[in-house]
Amino acid sequence: MSYDTQLPHAPSPVAMRNGLGTAALVLGIIGTVSGFIPFFFWLAGILGLIALILGVIGTGRAKRGQASNKGVALTGAILGLAALILSIVGAVLAYTVVSDAADKIDKAIKDSAPKDPTSKAPLGKGAGKGAGKGATDPKAKALAADDTVVYDDDVKVTVSPAKKFSPSEYAAGHTAGNKAWQVTVTIENGGKKKFDTTLVTLDARAGKDGTTAEQIFDDKVGSGFSGTVLPGKKATATFAFDAPAAAEDLTVEVSPGLDYNASQWELKVG
């Protein structure tokens, strides 16, 4: 008698699906590293999100016995979450840096813009009359003699009344038959920084037609300003201009420098 005995076949091994867990770990590492690199927050965010999703799926597979790398998948998910947090922090820091840089650029542009005269405080007779924005403001009126204009940085400019002036024999800029007029310009530094007078310029026009009044140079006038004015100090210089004999007014324009708008004084002559 023979017995035919059949033994049960051993079940075939299940292939482990570890790919997602491994991918989560790799992407989580790259994303976390990217989170520490300035302005790579966007890459950290993208990779971190993918790593987190793949890590969660990979961990689920490991719990169901479909994968054997639960620790790898869990680590990838944690690193993905860390990369997401770093991306948020990086985005905030990047926004702050860009915003600060934009503010500094705006401030630099404003500081480099010409300073406008204002009438912020009375400074004596007729202080600040018609100040506004000096020569750049079409509505601005010329100032009168002894009026003082105050600029944004507290630099103050005053022009005296015009007085008759007798040029010397060797004076330059004077035409025979014309009259010469002398004005005194005072600059007071009410600010907190030194004021450089090197770039102070004066121009003048005479009469209704606005004829250019040439500046006169001799041993008495024409040397102008020089050096710097310390805070709280003043500087004074005398100038003379040549005007037609029939002119009844002299318009003197003073520009304290390249960073300033010029202001005009209407002076009576004749």
Side-chain angles (χ1 to χ4, degrees):
M1 176 180 271
S2 63
Y3 296 92
D4 187 8
T5 304
Q6 293 183 351
L7 298 175
H9 294 286
S12 300
V14 178
M16 295 293 99
R17 303 169 64 185
N18 295 332
L20 294 182
T22 302
L25 179 62
V26 173
L27 295 179
I29 292 174
I30 298 175
T32 302
V33 173
S34 300
F36 288 102
I37 302 176
F39 297 103
F40 272 71
F41 60 87
W42 57 272
L43 181 60
I46 295 173
L47 297 181
L49 179 60
I50 297 174
L52 179 59
I53 295 173
L54 295 182
V56 170
I57 296 174
T59 302
R61 284 183 177 180
K63 289 180 179 180
R64 295 191 297 270
Q66 298 174 347
S68 60
N69 61 345
K70 180 179 179 180
V72 172
L74 183 60
T75 302
I78 293 173
L79 289 176
L81 181 60
L84 279 175
I85 295 174
L86 289 173
S87 71
I88 295 173
V89 174
V92 173
L93 292 177
Y95 174 80
T96 303
V97 171
V98 172
S99 179
D100 290 344
D103 290 341
K104 290 181 179 178
I105 293 174
D106 289 342
K107 185 177 183 301
I109 293 174
K110 291 179 180 178
D111 290 343
S112 63
K115 298 177 179 62
D116 289 332
T118 62
S119 54
K120 40 192 305 191
L123 299 171
K125 178 181 177 183
K129 275 188 179 179
K133 292 190 176 183
T136 63
D137 186 353
K139 296 181 181 179
K141 297 180 180 179
L143 291 84
D146 286 332
D147 280 356
T148 298
V149 66
V150 184
Y151 285 85
D152 298 341
D153 57 354
D154 288 330
V155 169
K156 307 165 187 176
V157 182
T158 306
V159 176
S160 71
K163 299 179 179 179
K164 289 184 178 181
F165 176 73
S166 299
S168 65
E169 182 181 356
Y170 302 102
H174 177 58
T175 302
N178 285 355
K179 292 183 178 179
W181 299 96
Q182 171 185 313
V183 297
T184 299
V185 179
T186 301
I187 296 179
E188 180 179 357
N189 185 3
K192 298 180 180 179
K193 298 180 180 180
K194 292 180 180 179
F195 174 75
D196 188 0
T197 64
T198 306
L199 297 179
V200 175
T201 59
L202 270 77
D203 293 293
R205 295 183 297 275
K208 296 180 180 179
D209 296 333
T211 303
T212 299
E214 297 292 339
Q215 186 173 342
I216 298 173
F217 296 89
D218 66 5
D219 57 340
K220 299 177 182 178
V221 296
S223 58
F225 291 96
S226 63
T228 58
V229 183
L230 295 174
K233 300 296 183 179
K234 297 180 181 180
T236 302
T238 301
F239 301 83
F241 296 95
D242 187 65
E248 297 181 354
D249 55 73
L250 182 71
T251 302
V252 176
E253 182 174 286
V254 181
S255 174
L258 297 177
D259 294 335
Y260 296 80
N261 288 326
S263 296
Q264 296 181 349
W265 282 257
E266 192 77 22
L267 310 178
K268 297 299 181 182
V269 297

